[in-house]
Structures are given as C-alpha cells and as structure tokens.
Amino acid sequence: HCFDKRLRIFFLHSVYIINLFISFELQFRLGPTLQGKHVLVHTNYPAPGKHFDRHTFQALDWHNPMGREDDSDKFCTLDLQIAGSYQYYFGHGHEEKSGGGYIVVDPVLRAGADNHHVHLDCITIQTYLSKCLGHLDDWPARLRVAKESGYNMIHFTPLQTLGISRSCYSLADQLSLNPEFSPPGKNYTWTEVGELVQKLKKEWNMICITDVVYNHTAANSPWIKEHPECGYNLVNSPHLRSAWVLDRAIWHMTCNMADAKYAAMGLPAQVQNEGHLNAIRNVLWEQVFPKVKLWEFFQVKIESTVEEFRTLLTEGENQKKTGGKQGLKIIQDPKFRRFGNKVDMDSALETFVPHSRSPQAILEACNWLWGRLEEINKEQYQQMLHHQEQAANCIVGNVVYERLADHGPKLGPVTRKDPIVTRYFTFPFEEKSLEDDLPMMDQPDKARHFLAHNGWVMGDDPLRNFAEPGSNVYIRRELICWGDSVKLRYGNKPEDCPYLWAHMQKYTEITAKHFAGVRLDNCHSTPLHVAEYMLDVARVLRPSLYVVAELFTGSEDLDNVFVTKLGITSLIREAMSAGDSHEEGRLVYRYGGEPVGAFVQPSLRPLVPSIAHAMFLDVTHDNECPIQLRSAYDSLPSSAIVSMACCCSGSTRGYDEMVPHQISVVKEERFYPKWNPEAKASSPGEVNLKTGIIAGKLALNKMHQELASKGFNQVYVDQVDEDIVAVTRHCPSTHQSVVAVCRTAFHNPKHHQYRTEVPPMFIPGKIEEVILEARIIDRQAGTYKKCEKYINGMPEYTVEIKEHIQLKDSGVVKHAGVTSKGSSEFVQEIIFERLTPGSVIAFRVSLDPKAQELVGVIRHHLIQFSPKYKPGSLPDQHTPTILETPLAQIMSKLTLGDMNMLLFRCDSEEQEDGGGCYNIPSWTSFKYGGLQGLLSVMADIRPKNDLGHPVCDNLREGDWMIDYVSNRLVCHSGALGEVGKWLKAMFHYLKHIPRYLIPCYFDAILVGAYTTALDTTFNKMSSFVQNGSTFVKLLALGSVQMGGVGSFPALPPLSLELPDIPYRLNKDTGKKEQCCVSLAAGLPHFSSGIFRSWGRDTFIALRGLMLVTGRHLEARNIILAFAGTLRHGLIPNLLGEGICARFNCRDAVWWWLQCIQDYCTLVPEGIAILRCPVVRMYPHDDSEPQSLLTQPLCDVIHEAMTRHMQGIDFRERNAGPKIDMHMKDEGFNIVAKVHRDTGFVYGGNRFNCGTWMDKMGESDKARNKGMPATPRSNSAVLISISNHFWVTFNHHNVIVKVSYEEWNHKILANFEKNFYVSHDEKDPNEKHPDLVHKRGIYKDSHGASSPWCDYQLRPNFCIAMVVAPELFTVERAWKALGMAEKKLLGPLGMKTLDPDDMVYCGVYDNALDNDNYNVARGFNYHQGPEWLWPIGYFLRAKLYFAKKLGKETYEQTVYLVKSILSQHYVHLERSSWKGLPELTNENGQYCPFSCESQAWSISTVLEVLHDI
C-alpha cells in the first residue's frame, strides 16, 4: 500500500517543512497572498535524469488545468522518487525569495532475498556496541540473538579503530576497520564487513545501520597530530588562549592536590564534604585566578596607547575620519595577547578633543583618555571575575557529581589519572611547571598541538558552535568535556580545511557503501552544513539512505531544523524519559498513528503539520539501565507498551537479557553472549529464549511488525489505573484490533504494595484469540553475578509466556462475559485473575460477526465513490432495490432546484416546511438543512480527526442526526425522494455497527453523496462552469444555494402558453401548481416568505447566477414573472409574490431591463424571449392583482420606457406605517422622469431612497427616523446610464415623439459634461466648483437635492462603466478607477463612501441606538461599510478599460484582479455558508449584521471570472 500514487497539496505562503514518502506527488499551489502574482518556485530536487546538487535549483513549470480565469487551481508539481532533503523557495516580482522551506522524502528500505519493502513502522531495531562482538567470525553467533528475538534491524556503534579511551565514539582512524575484529593470522577489511551485512540482509531479513561521528576524533588519532589545523588550536583559534591558560592552571592544581600541597589550606586529595568544596573555591580564588590574570588578555596597555595618542595630537591629527560618530572604539587583538587590545585612534581623536593646541590642553585630553581606558580595563576585569565565578561553580559542580553524588561514579581521590576536572585541551609535551607551560602558547610549532576537546554544554543553543569566537564556554568551564576526543574545526566550506573534509568524505563513502543507514552521533552539536554535505555524499552512493538521530535540543522547532536540513528519517525517542506509566502511554499516542475510528482522508489533500517520525526505544545505549531506576519486573510491560507504538521501535542489546546495569560505551570490554537454544540458565556466555525477556520480546516484535505491515495505523491509549496501560491498535479497513494490556512495575513488587484488585476491562467486539500473555517470573537459577568475560544478565528471572491461545485457556483472565452496549455494539467484559505487576496480555479483537458483515457491506457500496474502500468490503447478499442503482444515476434525475433542497436551505427556508436545521443542544445548529451544513463542519473535523467534537458525540450517542439527513428527503417525491431512500438504506446498515465507527462511516457516506451531487450539479451547468476552476465552481454553487423552490411559490404565475414550466402538486390542496425557481437575496435574512425575492437583488444577481451558469430556463421564468408585476412603469423592489409588492425603487426596472439584454446576447436564440407571453398582474396602475391580460415581453419593455419618458409620479398604495413604519409621509411619493435636455432619468426626493443605497433612518433617539441616509435624489449615476443601453437597443422605436436614437444621443452628449469632475478648476460645466474636493472622478449623482451629495466619492460609477462603457473617455475612466482603487477598495468589498468624507463610518451596527445621527440604528449602512457586489463591477471596469490601454496594462490588471479575488476564494472556501457576505466592516472586518451569503456578492465576482 506504500506505493499507490498519492498526492499532497502545499499552499505556498512562508517557510514550511514538507515530509513525504517516495512515490508521492507534491503539488505547490499559490496561497491567497500570491494569487495574481508572477510567482516562481525553485527547488534543488533534481530534474529527471539529473544528479542531485544542493546548490543547483530549477524553476518548476506552472500548470493551470482549468484555464486562465483565476489561480485557484494553478500548480506546479514534483514526482518524488528520490529520498533525501531538498530545498524549495519561491518569489515574485523583484523579490526572488519570498519564502521557502524543505522537502524531506523518506527512504524505501528493503531486505530479504526477494528484496521486499520494509515499512518504516515495521522496524524493530537493536543496538550493539561493536567492540563487544569480538572477532568478525563470532559475529553471526552473537548477532543471531537479534534475529531470534524478532528484530529486523541492527544498529552497530562505529566499527572503526578506537582511540585510547576505548569509547565506542572516540575514533582513532575513521577509515580503518577496528583490528580487534580480525583473529590472529587474519586481516579483515571493510569488504568482509560488507559481505556480512549483505548476508544478514538476504538470509536473515535484517537491515544494518551504523553511526557516523563527524564532530570529533580521538585525541590520539595519528592524523590529527599530522594535521592539527583540523582541530581548534591556539594558532587558528587564538580566542581560546586565555581558556588554555586557565586549563593548564587547573591541571597544576590537580597535581598539587594529588601531591597533598593544599593540605594546609584544608584541601586533601580525597574530597569528602562541603568543607572540602569550599577549600577548592578558596584555592581557585586565592592561588589559581590571581596567578594567571586572565583579564589581561582583554585589556589595553594604557601607557603606550596614551603616548601614541599624545603624538598624534601634537602632530595635529584630529580630522574626523569616522564620519563624525563619537565614542571610543576598542579593537580586539586578533592574536589575543595580554594587553593586546588596541584603541581605534580615529575614534579617540574625535572623542577626546583638546580645546586648543596648547601643551596643557593636550595633556588634559591625554588624561581624559587615560581615565577612560582605566574604566574600560576595569570593566574587562569585572567581566572576567564573572567568568571566573561561573568557572568555579562549574568545577565544584563537576567534583560533586564525580566524587560525592550517589548517582555519580564516585571516583575517589584526585590523581593525575582522575584529575579534579577533565582537561579541556590536549598537551602532548612533557609535564613541567605552569611557568614552563605558559611560554609555549607563543611558540606556534607547539601551540598548534594544544587542541580543544569536545563535549556538550547544558542548555546551549545547538545551532551555535561553542568553540568559535564569541563563545565563552571554555573559559567559563561550562563544557561537560570528553577528554578523549578533539573537537573538529571544519570552517564554512571544504576549502577552509581541505584535509578534514576529504578525510571525512572518505569515511562517509565507506559507511554508505556497506550500510543501509546511519545514526548521526552527537547530531545536535555537529555543524549543520557539515552533516548536510556528508549526507549528500552518502546519498550519492546509497540514495535510499536511512538516517536516524537523537536530538537534545529541548525544542520541537529546533528538532525540525535538523530533521529538514539533514533529511533525518527517524528521531530517537526513549521510554525511559517517562516518569510513570501514564506518561509512557502518552508517548505511544504522540509518536504515531491516527485515533481509532479516524475519518477517511482523501488521497488528494493539503499537507498538515506533523511531528518527525519516531524511533521509539525502551532504552538507548547511552542511558542508564531501567532495572536500576525502576524494577526488573517492568522490563516486559514497558517494552510491550513501546512495541504497540505506531512507529519504529527497538532496544539495546542487554535489555532483553536483563543486564542490571548500564553497558558503558567507554568502559565495557566484555563480549556479548552467543545464541545457543540449549544453553543453561546459569551459562553467562550463551542465551536463548528462556533468558530474560527474550521470548516475550520475540512475540512483541512479531506483533509490532504484523501490526504495521497489515495497516493497524490507528491508536488508542487507555490509562486503566496508575499502573495499567491498555494500548489498542486498529486496522481501519478490516476493523480488527489488537489490545495490549500492560501492568507496569516501576517499583519492585517485592517491596511495593500494588493494588490486589485489577479493574475489569470492557473490550468492544469479539475476542478472537489471546495473541500472547506473558509475565516476568522468578526462577531457581542462581542470582546475578557479574561475569568477567561476558555481558551477562540476571538468571533469576525469565518470562512465562503463552501465544495464540483461546480466551478460555488464559491464565491471566478469570472471566470473560459478553454484554451489549446498545442495539449494535457488543462488548466483552474482562475480569483479570493474574495480571500481576510485570504482566502483559494482548487480545486480537474483531467486530462481532454481524457488525463485521455490515461494515463490509457499507464499504462495498462506498466503492462507487473511491476504490480505497475495497479492502474489507463484502458483497451485499440482500441488496435493497434502491442500492442496486449507482447514486450518480439517481442524482442525474435531480434538477438544480432539487439540488438546492439536497445541499442547502437555511433554517428559515427549512421552517417553511415545518422543520429546521439540525441542532445539537450542547453545541449549535448547522447552517443548512442540506448536506452542505454537515460537510462544512466535517471539513474542520475530518483533517484533525477531532473525534471529541460535539458532532461526533451526537452521532455516537444516537441516530437522530442520521435520521434527520434521510427523513428530510424521503418525504419528497421524485428523484429527491429516491436520494433520500438511498441514504436511508445506507444508514440502515450504519445504525447497526459499533457506535465508535459511526462518525467515520457517516462522514464517508455523506462525502460520497456530496461529491456526487456536486459533479451532477456542475454537469447541468454551462461549459464555463464545467471546465472552470475550483473557484468558478464554488461560486457557481451559489446559484444552487440561492436558487430554490419553497413551500409557497415566491414568483407570480407564468403564462400557460410557455413551454417547460415546472409543476408540482400542492401538498395541502393536491392541485397542480407552478414551482419555478426564485433567487433568495441573501442568507439567512432574505431567504423565505415575502422577504425572499427582491427585484433589485434578483436582477443584479441573475446574470452571474443564472445566465453565466447556463440556467437559461430558470432565468427566463424569473424575468417573465417579474415582467408580469410591472406597474407605474416600474417593477417591484420587494416582490412579495407580486401581491404584496412595493414599487418604491427607481433602479430595479433598469436592472431587469439589463438582464433582458444580457439574456438576448448570452443565451442562444435568446432574443426570442422578447416575444414570450407575460401575464400582467396589474394591467393598469390601479388594478387589483389579476391574470387576465397577456402581452409579449417586448410590449412590457416598451411600456416601461414610455412611462419613464412620460413621467412617473404616484403615491404608493397603502402608504403609511402599514407598509413602512419609519418613512415620513413625503417619502411615499414616487417620481421617476426623463430630463428632456440631457436624457437622464431623474426622480426621488430627500425623504425616500429609490436606489440600492436605501437605508432609512430608524432612531428616535438620534432623530434620524424617516430620513434616508443616502437619498441619491435626481439623477443617480447608475440609473442615468442604465437607461442608455435600452435606448441603444431599441433605437428603431419611437416613444412620446422622442426616438430612442435621439434619447441615446442626448445621453452621450451630456454624460461626461455633467458627471465628470474635471482637473480643470475653471471647467465651465462645473456648477458647484466650491463643493469639489476630489478631481478626476465621476459624480455619484447629478442635481441632487443636497448638491454636495453629487460630489461624494462612491463606487457606483464603476457599475455604470460596465453597463455603458462607451459613455466614458478611456483615460478619464482609468484615472477615476485608480482613485476608487486607492480610496474605496477593501479586502473583500468596496467602501460605500470615501473615507475622507466627514460622515464616513466603516463599522455597521444596526443594534446601536444612541444620539449620533450618522450611525444610530445602522444609519451608516451605505456610508462606509464595504459592500461586496460593487467590487465585481469595479474589477470588470478595470479589465475593460485596461484592454483599451494595451497588452501590458491589461496583463498587469489581470494580475491585480486575481490577487484581489484570491481573498474571495479563501473566504468562500473557509466559509461554513459556502458564500460571500453582503458586506464587511472597514478593512474587511467581519460584520455580524451582514447576510452571511448574498446572491449579488457571489454573482458579480463570478462575472469577473467570466470576463477574464
């Protein structure tokens, strides 16, 4: 399963770490801030056929599979076939690198004669100290212990020649095999080692890795003597000179202590108490520090410096050479000699300036400098005192650990062999006195051999090299030193130390040639660039190099730096870090696997952050033995807990044999025992299955490998009590589980009182078998005695184990009873009898047979959505008829109106049918009753596997949500009811599987149904949508979201003469009625009842949501239905089913006419709509609603135009508080006429608001009630131009003795003259030059009742530019759009008023009622808040005029548009409503009073993409 093509998506934003496997495809996609920009992605992943070079980057090609309208699907891709660590970076514009990160591709490991793949989580590794294996001929017998114990990987400590300390990690020669591996008369080489490794791989199925040590070499390495430049010495690192002096002084202190020379000061050689520790401090402060005077290395020689200064002053040198920056500058002596620091004389001359040239003035300046230098020297002295204080503390702390602490080695008296502290530097010369030593540091031929030792610094920054200048670690004695190793000095590149780099490259090549992987020793202290270089070398020879490391950074972020730069596959983690069983269990959960019952994730999915892959060990070879810290009885249960982790697991040789001490990598010289199946328990040189816990470990290792190979990748950890941990591993396809119950024994049961009663366990499902039950028992084989020759364990313990037995044969379980947990889940209650401390029992658990069958059947029916459900599927023996038909076939019969019911419908829409959206009492309600309501929530839950979410709780607790989903649809007739029946049949199976699996499979069924519904939906739309991007499809979904049929028809009846009118039976009367789709204005506030359909909103949205998406029939029906309501030459704003219509807006009729024109031009043979019959609800202005008169649409259009030319002047029917409780009486008077001179439509008064900016004041407190916030009376820019398109469209007709052509010419001649605000301050057309505050814009209105309103900058002129662009001069239009962009453009919408305007307020709060006239009760609705629908027109206008200005301008504009729209894409994708809001507050802030999804917001953005 590891080699299926799987795809991960990464959205470019900033630095990020990507961890993937070979055979994955990685797609880079643009994050929202990068869309619309010319982005280049570079990577050093090699192009096909090329070799990897870390410094060679290639640019990736972009693919845009869905065309060019936006960047939401644009991607570049990498097919990952080579393991390693790779960099990527991306940039745009002049910025080559805006962000970047690393791609870590994990290797593929293989073993066996068949070269089979070994999954990383299958690995069970055992560490061997190579020096304890003896002659190479004996290795198979000793290594066989690992094979027989069930391990499949061996980790060898370095096999090279060891240094004088005999530490496994202090290598004398990195290139030669340890000669100790060759028996007398033979000289084995790396060839023989390689042959053995291959034998283990092919015959034993075992993979071998070894350490690489880059940070240090043995102090006695021959090559370091020949090439001392490879270490930090006093010649190439003179900053260490003072630390070397202190080190020599402390060495001589050791000699004096050993020789009892401090006895008189109360300091003997044997340090035994606090008094002796104080005596050490006294010696340091009274004899050592004063003698070496370390502060002098950082001080200035005052006399000579002042004399030089005096000479310069006398000679007249006082020019300002440092640019006038005063302040004395001290220059550190690069050779770090005593009093070697210098003064920058230029800074001195500027700082200490004599007031004249007289000798006295010069003397005063010199004295001034002298005083300052004394201060500086004193500061250095004080600084050194701080260093010395820390050094004294560290020295004493070291003495306490090594000689006094119970957990320390208790070294005994101070001797030259065991000095008071480890020396920090090598000293390869004859020992003399300190006075004789010190001159050597000034003799380069000797000083180059004083090499700094390596070690580690507690709490230090691992990315900082503590031996480099700037670090005080050596002088402060903070280094925990390895006196057998010299720290290597690589520099920054191979040229800085050629021999060292070449030497270590050969070492790396030898290792990579013979071993499948490496462990990076001391990784956190190895220079990153060195390890990076060497691993690149290794991967040339072995591309699938397995890299492991143990990091001690203490920071996950720092860990990731090493993991990503080096391509570390697995980080070593240790169970010994856990202080109790609870923490041990937590580590199992943390280091791998998904939770049991996790959701099925799509193959193509975004990357999510994760921690590095773990190699989880019960103990590492570096750390103390668990038997010493816990008890011998804990060896088995803790090992079992580790083995149950869903990651690589392992141990170190000796743990399984129960060796009761740490096997020291430095001091251990004995050999490991060999394998002998017949060995006696008392034999220290041989082991077998009866030794220690080997038999138990064999069973655990086999189980660990089986769990990983068979896909048991889900984990649950249960802390049963303070000592018992139960770990479940679960397979998500077969739903088998393995449950291991481990009773830890951190304390020796012989001395600690454990609870006698063990809590019962309840295991869901049917226990098929006991895989193993084991416990540590005492046996009569003598007690432990340390063998001198072999690393022997404790013979008094062994493991009692049974494997693959039936539950009734268990010696651990007393009783197992079956109980029922609900109707669909069977649970076995386990009562333990002998789960003693140190015991383990593991059960293999299946679902009960009926549940297993039902899960298989569910998976079988889910295969139609994805082949990933084939594993574990079972054919349905009794398939319900409805499930015999693929869901896609059933859904193909749904209309897009049906899809509205299936996918959407908010709570108020649902309530019309007597229902409502599903509510979870402890949480909230879903946004929709349809599938989108659930899927929006699941989209957040699923990637995080948030099984504790209230939705998941609700599903586990009962069938309410399941029944809601199907019952909501089953009650409908036709295909919608069929979909409901399909879901009900699937849910019938779902209800009878274990409750913990219901969230997972409920989600899988819904995802399948949802994706099928989306595919069907898009297939019923235009080719623009079908072939469009994800963004286009998401927007097109708004057509389904807003377009539906409620319980009561929202539209007036259409003429029966029209073809293809949809009908249904009225559920109350049983009679046939029309059921045309209508558009909701916005969700949730304008979605149902009489407030669903609005003329203005409908026709602003209709082009994008209906025409562009290909829903031509529904568009026709909506146009004709509104045509039937024409009255007074207007169509209603609030439709109210036509009966409750209000004719109080002047612009809705023009939006209606605009849509008719768009229909005629966009729909094939669309002009035929002009002859379609319209049922006139109001044949005359004073008619009651009726359906007697039928006219062709063209006549209705002509009537609307004629009435405007004649002049519309009427009072609204039922005027007064009945229809508007806030409006003043004058506001009910409606006027709309045509200006005979200009051709502009004008109307309105200061008490009504006839355009879309229609906020009526509501506050008595603020005294704005009944006052329109934006009356826009007289000629609003949009209406004045909107009539132009129909004038041009009907130029052959004549109305009221004025031809359309003449009307058209008047508008053309007068538009810019009256609406453009010229840069010319003396423009004769400007009636109110005193009101102009912005030039180069278009007025919002002409001839307003309040003249200053004309000059307010608003986004309405952008709409006019799209409707009638020919009225605008290109250059003027472009500059006006630039002003709108600068002043009005927000993240999602357009500010409705210039922020420079005195009444601007960008925060809309309809609940606020105060005495502020401008904002109370949301009076500023259109006075600043950023509305979304105008942005569509703004962008369309930009595109139109950019194209007129040439290719370059157009391309730049397209990038701008894409960049702006990326914000809408992100909002749409993340919105639980899957819509775009009505408006936002200033700067894109969320507005709680806005509709969450607005028809015209979605529509106009979709139109922009259509234009592109």
Side-chain angles (χ1 to χ4, degrees), residues 182-197:
S182 300
K186 291 189 178 180
N187 184 23
Y188 287 138
T189 65
W190 291 110
T191 302
E192 285 75 28
V193 170
E195 289 169 354
L196 176 61
V197 168

Side-chain angles (χ1 to χ4, degrees), residues 1032-1066:
V1032 166
K1033 287 182 167 71
L1034 281 172
L1035 290 164
L1037 210 54
S1039 169
V1040 178
Q1041 182 188 115
M1042 299 295 173
V1045 182
S1047 289
F1048 309 103
L1051 299 179
L1054 299 175
S1055 169
L1056 300 181
E1057 300 172 24
L1058 284 168
D1060 302 320
I1061 298 176
Y1063 288 94
R1064 69 181 178 194
L1065 292 177
N1066 186 294

Side-chain angles (χ1 to χ4, degrees), residues 874-1145:
L874 291 171
D876 193 346
Q877 301 300 324
H878 307 287
T879 307
T881 305
I882 189 66
L883 294 183
E884 291 176 352
T885 307
L887 183 59
Q889 189 175 328
I890 297 172
M891 285 191 175
S892 66
K893 300 172 187 175
L894 295 173
T895 67
L896 292 178
D898 293 332
M899 286 296 181
N900 170 263
M901 165 65 74
L902 176 62
L903 294 172
F904 296 104
R905 299 226 312 174
C906 67
D907 193 59
S908 56
E909 293 175 277
E910 291 287 292
Q911 286 179 18
E912 276 195 339
D913 279 345
C917 291
Y918 189 80
N919 173 265
I920 297 176
S922 61
W923 185 56
T924 187
S925 297
F926 292 118
K927 305 303 184 194
Y928 296 112
L931 297 181
Q932 185 64 64
L934 285 144
L935 268 295
S936 288
V937 177
M938 296 309 298
D940 289 330
I941 297 172
R942 190 185 309 112
K944 296 181 282 193
N945 277 316
D946 185 6
L947 292 167
H949 193 279
V951 169
C952 299
D953 288 340
N954 188 268
L955 285 165
R956 286 188 292 264
E957 289 166 5
D959 297 334
W960 314 291
M961 193 187 306
I962 298 169
D963 288 336
Y964 172 86
V965 172
S966 57
N967 292 348
R968 183 177 165 273
L969 301 173
V970 166
C971 62
H972 290 272
S973 59
L976 202 55
E978 294 293 295
V979 173
K981 291 174 186 174
W982 187 94
L983 287 168
K984 190 164 189 172
M986 289 293 287
F987 291 160
H988 175 73
Y989 299 133
L990 183 71
K991 291 176 182 179
H992 295 90
I993 68 173
R995 302 306 299 188
Y996 72 90
L997 291 176
I998 283 181
C1000 161
Y1001 282 105
F1002 178 70
D1003 179 62
I1005 293 167
L1006 288 194
V1007 167
Y1010 178 74
T1011 53
T1012 304
L1014 292 192
D1015 290 342
T1016 306
T1017 295
F1018 300 136
N1019 286 335
K1020 291 179 181 290
M1021 290 186 173
S1022 64
S1023 59
F1024 167 66
V1025 175
Q1026 291 178 33
N1027 302 322
S1029 66
T1030 302
F1031 189 15
V1032 166
K1033 287 182 167 71
L1034 281 172
L1035 290 164
L1037 210 54
S1039 169
V1040 178
Q1041 182 188 115
M1042 299 295 173
V1045 182
S1047 289
F1048 309 103
L1051 299 179
L1054 299 175
S1055 169
L1056 300 181
E1057 300 172 24
L1058 284 168
D1060 302 320
I1061 298 176
Y1063 288 94
R1064 69 181 178 194
L1065 292 177
N1066 186 294
K1067 62 184 179 182
D1068 296 324
T1069 65
K1071 293 181 179 179
K1072 186 177 175 184
E1073 66 179 9
Q1074 294 181 10
C1075 54
C1076 294
V1077 166
S1078 64
L1079 283 176
L1083 309 180
H1085 307 313
F1086 305 112
S1087 58
S1088 61
I1090 64 168
F1091 295 106
R1092 174 179 175 83
S1093 286
W1094 300 72
R1096 177 191 300 123
D1097 295 72
T1098 294
F1099 293 109
I1100 290 176
L1102 189 127
R1103 182 178 187 270
L1105 295 189
M1106 292 295 179
L1107 297 181
V1108 167
T1109 59
R1111 301 183 68 176
H1112 301 152
L1113 181 63
E1114 290 108 319
R1116 179 204 72 177
N1117 294 343
I1118 292 170
I1119 289 169
L1120 296 177
F1122 271 90
T1125 65
L1126 187 85
R1127 190 159 158 243
H1128 306 293
L1130 301 174
I1131 65 162
N1133 184 22
L1134 176 63
L1135 178 62
E1137 300 167 21
I1139 299 168
C1140 302
R1142 281 196 71 187
F1143 295 85
N1144 62 332
C1145 74

Side-chain angles (χ1 to χ4, degrees), residues 196-319:
L196 176 61
V197 168
Q198 283 302 307
K199 174 184 170 72
L200 297 180
K201 177 183 174 183
K202 289 186 175 179
E203 298 178 16
W204 289 8
N205 295 321
M206 298 189 80
I207 298 167
C208 296
I209 70 170
T210 188
D211 288 278
V212 283
V213 186
Y214 293 127
N215 209 18
H216 54 255
T217 190
N220 66 320
S221 296
W223 62 269
I224 199 75
K225 294 177 182 176
E226 296 175 18
H227 294 278
E229 77 278 4
C230 296
Y232 289 87
N233 60 51
L234 302 192
V235 175
N236 63 22
S237 304
H239 61 282
L240 296 175
R241 281 162 58 93
S242 57
W244 179 84
V245 169
L246 179 58
D247 193 54
R248 293 310 298 159
I250 293 170
W251 166 253
H252 287 288
M253 178 180 170
T254 288
C255 298
N256 290 339
M257 281 183 70
D259 297 341
K261 292 184 178 179
Y262 295 132
M265 297 181 68
L267 181 57
Q270 179 87 41
V271 178
Q272 294 179 307
N273 53 47
E274 188 71 27
H276 295 157
L277 297 176
N278 288 332
I280 291 173
R281 292 183 186 275
N282 291 338
V283 169
L284 287 169
W285 284 106
E286 293 173 15
Q287 301 225 354
V288 176
F289 296 151
K291 183 183 288 187
V292 293
K293 299 179 180 177
L294 298 180
W295 51 84
E296 292 180 353
F297 287 92
F298 304 95
Q299 290 182 329
V300 177
K301 194 166 187 178
I302 297 177
E303 297 91 334
S304 59
T305 301
V306 172
E307 190 55 41
E308 181 185 355
F309 178 69
R310 187 195 313 277
T311 302
L312 291 172
L313 284 180
T314 304
E315 293 174 355
E317 289 284 339
N318 63 350
Q319 297 92 351

